[in-house]
Amino acid sequence: MGGVGGIGAGGRTGGGGWRDTAGRYALLPLRLFLGVTFVYAGIDKLTDSAFLADSGDGSVGALMRQVRDSSAVPWLVDQALKDPSGFGYAIAFGELAVGLGTLAGLLARLAAFGGALISLSLWLTISWQADPYYYGNDLAYLMAWLPLVLAGAPYLSLDVVLSKRRRRQGAQLFT
């Protein structure tokens, strides 16, 4: 048993037990899953010429027209329909940036917030008509992003490296 009064598992102080280590890295599998998934989704869209077209089978334009009337936010779909190809590129590059930022832990909270916004917009447009609601996977992605929005990437991340570097440089200024 551990954790009371600063004493970790096995009576040690300072938190070196496996539970402490597991707790520190608990968000890493989520970060890896979401990062890889969003990088893959972005690349998949960017390499699919049918998706990036304004119209036709498999195009973002056809998809937007298909979900427009069942969407929770038809005005958002109308915005996408003004330039379906541009919207497709924006989503693809957004997914790619979010995924890479999440994997690298660079601007991790911002990347997670971007992932949450993408997932929210997809849930309110593409997945909204899913019945029952839990069949729409974009809601689950939205919920998965929230812990990363709150916690960022406190381990194995460029954010940590850059933060330590700034602290070292700041200490040199004042010594």
Side-chain angles (χ1 to χ4, degrees):
M1 308 296 161
V4 178
I7 298 177
R12 292 184 310 264
T13 59
W18 70 270
R19 288 182 186 172
D20 293 328
T21 300
R24 278 194 300 277
Y25 295 100
L27 291 178
L28 193 56
L30 186 59
R31 235 178 88 198
L32 291 172
F33 170 75
L34 291 171
V36 167
T37 300
F38 269 57
V39 166
Y40 178 81
I43 290 171
D44 188 46
K45 288 173 180 67
L46 289 171
T47 58
D48 183 355
S49 58
F51 175 79
L52 294 171
D54 287 344
S55 61
D57 287 342
S59 71
V60 66
L63 178 62
M64 291 292 105
R65 283 185 279 284
Q66 178 185 346
V67 301
R68 194 236 177 250
D69 292 333
S70 61
S71 167
V73 286
W75 59 268
L76 185 58
V77 177
D78 289 339
Q79 292 301 309
L81 284 170
K82 289 181 181 180
D83 183 6
S85 180
F87 177 73
Y89 276 105
I91 290 292
F93 282 120
E95 287 173 338
L96 193 56
V98 161
L100 291 173
T102 300
L103 287 173
L106 182 61
L107 302 172
R109 282 191 171 103
L110 180 61
F113 184 71
L117 283 179
I118 290 170
S119 296
L120 176 64
S121 67
L122 292 174
W123 176 53
L124 292 174
T125 55
I126 308 297
S127 301
W128 186 254
Q129 71 275 7
D131 185 30
Y133 76 92
Y134 50 82
Y135 281 171
N137 65 346
D138 295 309
L139 179 59
Y141 279 102
L142 170 61
M143 294 298 115
W145 282 113
L146 296 181
L148 297 178
V149 169
L150 296 171
Y155 297 99
L156 300 176
S157 70
L158 289 176
D159 286 347
V160 170
V161 171
L162 294 172
S163 176
K164 287 179 181 178
R165 184 175 174 198
R166 281 191 301 269
R167 280 197 304 267
R168 274 196 316 269
Q169 289 175 343
Q172 290 173 359
L173 290 175
F174 298 108
T175 56

